[in-house]
Amino acid sequence: MLYQLTYASRVAKALGPSDIKDIIQASKHNNHAKGITGMLCLASGIFLQQLEGERSNINALYRHIQRDSRHQEADILDFAEIPYRRFGAWSMGLMTATTENEQLFLKYSSQASFDPYTMSASTLRAFFDEMVHNVRWITP
Ligand SMILES: Cc1cc2nc3c(=O)[nH]c(=O)nc-3n(C[C@H](O)[C@H](O)[C@H](O)COP(=O)(O)O)c2cc1C
């Protein structure tokens, strides 16, 4: 059964580019082995990640990620069965806040700054749909 899990968390301390590189490298390696695909966004000190794959694998990965001391306050925002993968080509893509994509973040926010904790499941899905169609902003 193919499932999708979306969660948000807050960075626990100031993270440098090497922290993000480590996260993405580990993600690509581990996720590929487990048939998990997805996307990680980082903006305004908040991580927003969408994971897709076998339900039990997604649950196990989420438990593993939750224990990572680089972030805290992980909240599940959406968990649902999906008919197909959105990020089939990416074991883990990364999108960070740049002036170029700031407008995309704000398009889906009711707040002045990007705050996925306040976004509905349907808004989150629309946000990820638009992201996947704007591959020029994404580092696969
Ligand atoms: C926001 C965030 C997202 C992460 N996403 C993943 C992921 O999708 N896949 C993964 O294997 N590790 C992910 N990690 C890293 C894991 O927490 C962990 O450091 C990594 O899997 C290596 O684990 P290990 O030291 O037990 O091998 C993420 C970490 C953070 C902070």
Side-chain angles (χ1 to χ4, degrees), residues 7 9 22-23 26-28 30-31 36 40 47 49 51 61 64-68 70-71 91-92:
Y7 76 88
S9 62
D22 283 354
I23 291 172
S27 301
K28 284 186 172 170
N30 299 335
N31 295 1
I36 292 173
L40 178 66
F47 285 114
Q49 189 172 32
L51 301 165
L61 177 60
H64 182 66
I65 294 173
Q66 258 198 317
R67 291 196 291 268
D68 195 311
R70 289 171 290 198
H71 68 162
S91 50
M92 190 47 58

Side-chain angles (χ1 to χ4, degrees), residues 3-8 27 31 36-41 47-53 58 61-62 65 77-80 82 84-88 90-94 120-132:
Y3 264 69
Q4 160 196 284
L5 186 153
T6 309
Y7 76 88
S27 301
N31 295 1
I36 292 173
T37 44
M39 172 65 55
L40 178 66
C41 300
F47 285 114
L48 174 65
Q49 189 172 32
Q50 188 165 85
L51 301 165
E52 48 190 25
I58 296 292
L61 177 60
Y62 181 67
I65 294 173
L77 307 176
D78 187 20
F79 184 63
I82 47 170
Y84 58 88
R85 289 172 194 265
R86 187 180 272 135
F87 301 111
W90 302 318
S91 50
M92 190 47 58
L94 173 69
S120 71
S122 63
T123 299
L124 286 163
R125 287 176 194 193
F127 173 73
F128 281 105
D129 266 341
E130 179 155 353
M131 276 219 309
V132 81

